[in-house]
Amino acid sequence: EDKVVQSPLSLVVHEGDTVTLNCSYEVTNFRSLLWYKQEKKAPTFLFMLTSSGIEKKSGRLSSILDKKELFSILNITATQTGDSAVYLCAVKANNRKLIWGLGTSLAVNP
Amino acid sequence: GAVVSQHPSWVICKSGTSVKIECRSLDFQATTMFWYRQFPKQSLMLMATSNEGSKATYEQGVEKDKFLINHASLTLSTLTVTSAHPEDSSFYICSAGGLAGELTSTDTQYFGPGTRLTVL
């Protein structure tokens, strides 16, 4: 059965810390991996990764995919309170359905 | 770019009534739209996938006669919760997957802001 596992489930850090969120997957016919940020409303898109070893970067956020070891990490440097959210990882297979992880709840304290 | 709107943002209704939720892609054409439900502190649960001009594909355990989905155009899909009951109270979110182009990838789903449904 296809699955996406995120760790940790929950994380509390102080402003300025760097965090690394993990997403491992077992999905048949992998096509791409996506990261989303969900605050109080619906998820907002962060990154889509399809190739191993190529880092995607947006400001203080970056992400990389390892298709051999079947995982991805999302890094956030110099965290701010506005980074507090649930970070969701999803994997798309060739049948176009997204398989979602349970998310990592990040709380950044001032 | 790649904006998805949802209407209404919240609705309260009496048990037994039907509620329609609209999902629109504002600046791109969405060949496929997805409807999710999310309960508090849980992850997104895919309910159904709809392709423009054809019948929706429902996930196992989702009643197609209760959750009616219509995807009449490349920019609009609707979800109607028929004869709603309190257990249908949830956060309903649509997402749109578009045609490949400058703003969108066929793999990326863009989410609407969600509709919070409360059934009394």
Side-chain angles (χ1 to χ4, degrees):
Chain A
E1 186 185 338
D2 292 337
K3 61 180 179 180
V4 175
V5 178
Q6 289 185 247
S7 63
L9 288 179
S10 177
L11 190 56
V12 181
V13 299
H14 291 292
E15 265 192 317
D17 288 350
T18 293
V19 297
T20 299
L21 310 182
N22 302 289
C23 175
S24 63
Y25 62 90
E26 292 177 26
V27 175
T28 306
N29 298 318
F30 171 92
R31 182 181 166 98
S32 59
L33 185 145
L34 299 96
W35 284 97
Y36 288 85
K37 176 183 181 182
Q38 184 174 26
E39 295 173 87
K40 293 200 172 161
K41 290 200 169 181
T44 53
F45 173 73
L46 295 175
F47 299 112
M48 184 180 79
L49 302 155
T50 54
S51 301
S52 274
I54 299 175
E55 185 183 53
K56 293 263 179 122
K57 199 169 171 64
S58 176
R60 295 176 294 101
L61 276 67
S62 64
S63 184
I64 199 160
L65 173 66
D66 186 327
K67 288 168 74 173
K68 183 179 175 187
E69 300 297 330
L70 308 182
F71 77 92
S72 173
I73 59 171
L74 175 68
N75 273 324
I76 308 174
T77 58
T79 51
Q80 302 171 357
T81 54
D83 296 327
S84 297
V86 174
Y87 290 84
L88 295 166
C89 171
V91 172
K92 182 177 277 280
N94 279 337
N95 63 6
R96 302 178 68 81
K97 187 187 299 188
L98 277 180
I99 301 148
W100 293 87
L102 290 177
T104 293
S105 177
L106 173 66
V108 181
N109 291 330
Chain B
V3 177
V4 177
S5 72
Q6 224 174 303
H7 176 81
S9 54
W10 59 268
V11 58
I12 301 173
C13 68
K14 289 184 179 179
S15 187
T17 59
S18 294
V19 174
K20 180 188 277 189
I21 303 170
E22 291 187 351
C23 177
R24 293 181 187 271
S25 57
L26 298 185
D27 52 3
F28 69 105
Q29 293 180 319
T31 52
T32 306
M33 285 186 171
F34 304 86
W35 286 96
Y36 292 86
R37 183 164 53 182
Q38 187 175 36
F39 293 106
K41 299 194 178 179
Q42 293 188 24
S43 191
L44 297 166
M45 188 193 84
L46 179 66
M47 297 174 68
T49 303
S50 77
N51 293 295
E52 184 264 340
S54 62
K55 288 185 179 179
T57 302
Y58 290 81
E59 294 301 300
Q60 195 170 8
V62 178
E63 299 173 57
K64 62 181 180 181
D65 294 330
K66 180 168 182 64
F67 299 99
L68 301 178
I69 291 171
N70 184 282
H71 192 162
S73 75
L74 285 173
T75 59
L76 172 65
S77 175
T78 60
L79 167 69
T80 302
V81 183
T82 61
S83 187
H85 288 100
E87 57 265 30
D88 298 324
S89 299
S90 187
F91 191 48
Y92 291 87
I93 311 171
C94 74
S95 72
L99 301 171
E102 184 181 335
L103 294 177
T104 67
S105 156
T106 53
D107 281 6
T108 305
Q109 290 182 25
Y110 296 92
F111 286 84
T115 296
R116 185 154 309 279
L117 170 64
T118 302
V119 185
L120 301 177

